[in-house]
Amino acid sequence: MPGTSRRALFKAGLAGLATWPLSSRAAVATACPPAPPAHATGVEGQRKADLGDGTYLNPIVAGDRPDPTILKDGDDYYMTFSSFDAYPGLVIWHSTDLVNWTPLGPALHTNVGTVWAVDLCRHGDRYFIYLPTLAPGGAWKIHAIWADDIRGPWSAPVDLRIDGCIDPGHAVGEDGKRYLFVNGIRKVRLTDDGLATDGALEQAYRPWRYPDDWITENFAPEGPKLTRRGDWFYLVTAVGGTAGPVTGHMVIAARSRSIHGPWEHCPHNPLVRTLSEAEPWWSRGHATLVEGPAGDGWMVYHGYENGYRTLGRQTLLEPIEWTEDGWFRARGGDLSKPLPSPRGGKQSRAGIALSDDFSNNRLGTQWTFHAPRPDEMQRVRYGTRSIRLAGAGTSPADGSPLTCIVGDRSYQAEVTLTLADGGEGGLLLFYNPKAFVGLGFTADGLRVFQYAEEQTWARQALPTQRVRLRLTNDHHVVTWHHSHDDGRTWTRLDTRMEVSGLHHNVFGGFLSLRIALYSAGPGAVAFSDFRYRALG
């Protein structure tokens, strides 16, 4: 059935199943697990967590939002995530109920390299983000940025000169001094302003070790996050590796009455771990504890969605309970099912529309350059409901495309390209320069990209200066269309592409498959009327 979605075919199959004998239907039901409950839909049909009946269904922030770091600030919650090679980066998200989140804008504008798991905190009246960075050809460093208002402006990055470390976690000890914990699990004292070290890096905790026969990626103790509750400091750590086998990543905890230890292992370790490929969320870990609006306990962490590693690691919310012995347990159970929403909060807005007429600057909040060069922003010029992007490189592989994170399993996107001065441009699904697919147009014709290279046999002579492109990603099967009359009629590209393998376990980098716009060659491309809609 041409043009029929997989969901429609599935529903048709269910209708046919109803006509089978009862015994046959029972056999099929036994062999096939029930379909997971449907997400609620928000703007543009994008899935959202809040089901509107006092429950929510993970993820709370869909798409590539890994290593969540969360801050409770009065009645408000703020969260940001690893931004890796995307700039502007470190978008701050806001919520008042822990379930519905909306982006405020980027905090990091200076390219200091790849940015991994960060820590967002408040000390006194000032907000801080501690971020590990890796510049090309350099060593890992930890920088700090700060702001007097969470919405910015944020400072330029300050190098703390803590080399070879990642995953900072800020804490204030019982002595009133500030400390930064890092992978390992090590700690270093900070100066009172939090912008320099005040001592040597030292071992802080020898993490709990899981049994040797467990299937993990590696030990990799990282992501230390600290919470003080009563007389105790709780240290939550990720071990097991963040990707690789789905059973690897996990959450463990320890506690101490002093920031300096000694630390005792939680008797309930691991607190969170994926046990099999049948679960809805894989490689769950990298957690932070947070108090809910009603004073109860929660944790946020990330995981890969079963069958959709291409979406990256997504942000999950799970309730915890504090036990009589002063420890805590995760109590979310089966995360394929709805959970009761946190009580006491004021409902927030959820997400943003991705459709963009380019009348406002969304760089950072929605659009980011992949691995930009120092002068990348000079390529951008906003026009009348358009964004003009000067060419760079000869193809998407060396041209730093403009990318957009998506969080739906199936979706459709369209954009109009107007070529100028011998420019070349196109629409892509882009993971990194070694993994992308898409269509490009020059003044002379069509280019087809697959397996991160042009398929020269597929070139078509289609002279044009203006073209509208459409991509449809239906559960990893991608169909391309192009229109030369502003979308009144469409021509489908003969080649369909399957993209389920374009993810970290194949290509590395901990990224996601994103919609992207590219402009290459000596000229420029004006992009206009970008439209997005989820397909379920």
Side-chain angles (χ1 to χ4, degrees), residues 183-195:
N183 64 313
I185 297 295
R186 300 161 289 170
K187 77 174 190 297
V188 63
R189 190 171 64 202
L190 299 176
T191 55
D192 290 345
D193 66 2
L195 298 177

Side-chain angles (χ1 to χ4, degrees), residues 171-513:
V172 178
E174 73 278 10
D175 55 7
K177 297 295 184 180
R178 303 175 67 175
Y179 295 88
L180 209 61
F181 283 64
V182 297
N183 64 313
I185 297 295
R186 300 161 289 170
K187 77 174 190 297
V188 63
R189 190 171 64 202
L190 299 176
T191 55
D192 290 345
D193 66 2
L195 298 177
T197 60
D198 186 24
L201 189 67
E202 59 185 13
Q203 192 67 43
Y205 166 60
R206 303 284 182 185
W208 174 85
R209 187 86 188 219
Y210 47 80
D212 189 61
D213 61 348
W214 285 15
I215 304 301
T216 67
E217 184 181 26
N218 50 40
F219 185 42
E222 58 192 12
K225 300 296 181 186
L226 291 101
T227 300
R228 193 170 190 183
R229 187 174 188 266
D231 294 332
W232 292 98
F233 290 92
Y234 292 86
L235 171 59
V236 179
T237 303
V239 294
T242 194
V246 304
T247 55
H249 210 22
M250 65 191 84
V251 176
I252 66 170
R255 71 180 182 185
S256 172
R257 294 189 184 276
S258 170
I259 199 75
H260 305 292
W263 298 89
E264 58 178 302
H265 302 321
C266 176
H268 312 309
N269 285 335
L271 297 159
V272 170
R273 183 188 177 217
T274 301
L275 298 178
S276 79
E277 291 187 350
E279 295 185 32
W281 293 100
W282 294 349
S283 303
R284 294 185 293 144
H286 203 104
T288 302
L289 301 184
V290 64
E291 182 183 279
D296 50 354
W298 298 82
M299 70 169 84
V300 293
Y301 56 85
H302 63 211
Y304 283 109
E305 189 169 2
N306 188 330
Y308 290 88
R309 279 196 175 105
T310 52
L311 292 176
R313 292 166 294 170
Q314 305 181 59
T315 299
L316 312 177
L317 176 70
E318 182 168 359
I320 64 170
E321 63 176 356
W322 290 97
T323 55
E324 292 184 0
D325 58 2
W327 291 103
F328 64 93
R329 293 178 183 267
R331 60 178 182 87
D334 182 357
L335 295 193
S336 70
K337 298 178 180 179
L339 294 169
S341 297
R343 296 174 290 107
K346 179 181 178 182
Q347 187 174 15
S348 309
R349 291 191 303 116
I352 59 168
L354 296 181
S355 296
D356 190 2
D357 65 2
F358 301 107
S359 59
N360 295 298
N361 186 338
R362 292 193 186 182
L363 292 175
T365 305
Q366 175 176 347
W367 299 102
T368 56
F369 281 110
H370 176 83
R373 291 155 288 233
D375 60 349
E376 211 73 65
M377 294 300 295
Q378 296 178 23
R379 297 175 57 200
V380 177
R381 191 176 77 203
Y382 273 87
T384 303
R385 295 186 179 273
S386 68
I387 184 171
R388 181 183 172 97
L389 192 60
T394 59
S395 79
D398 61 358
S400 191
L402 205 55
T403 68
C404 171
I405 294 173
V406 293
D408 298 298
R409 301 177 188 127
S410 295
Y411 51 85
Q412 190 171 85
E414 297 180 13
V415 69
T416 294
L417 287 65
T418 303
L419 309 181
D421 305 322
E424 170 189 331
L427 180 63
L428 312 166
L429 284 177
F430 185 90
Y431 181 83
N432 68 16
K434 297 181 180 179
F436 62 87
V437 299
L439 295 191
F441 270 88
T442 70
D444 298 323
L446 169 69
R447 299 180 73 183
V448 178
F449 298 98
Q450 195 174 12
Y451 317 115
E453 61 185 14
E454 184 188 1
Q455 304 301 297
T456 54
W457 58 268
R459 286 185 181 178
Q460 297 181 36
L462 290 169
T464 187
Q465 293 295 322
R466 181 179 174 89
V467 61
R468 189 160 180 81
L469 300 180
R470 174 197 290 167
L471 76 84
T472 306
N473 183 349
D474 185 3
H475 301 275
H476 299 311
V477 175
V478 182
T479 302
W480 302 93
H481 289 82
H482 53 92
S483 170
H484 300 267
D485 56 9
D486 292 321
R488 289 186 292 275
T489 61
W490 293 91
T491 299
R492 179 177 62 80
L493 185 74
D494 285 344
T495 301
R496 285 189 168 93
M497 303 173 189
E498 204 282 338
V499 295
S500 62
L502 303 189
H503 58 73
H504 169 79
N505 273 12
V506 179
F507 292 98
F510 299 105
L511 306 176
S512 68
L513 193 60

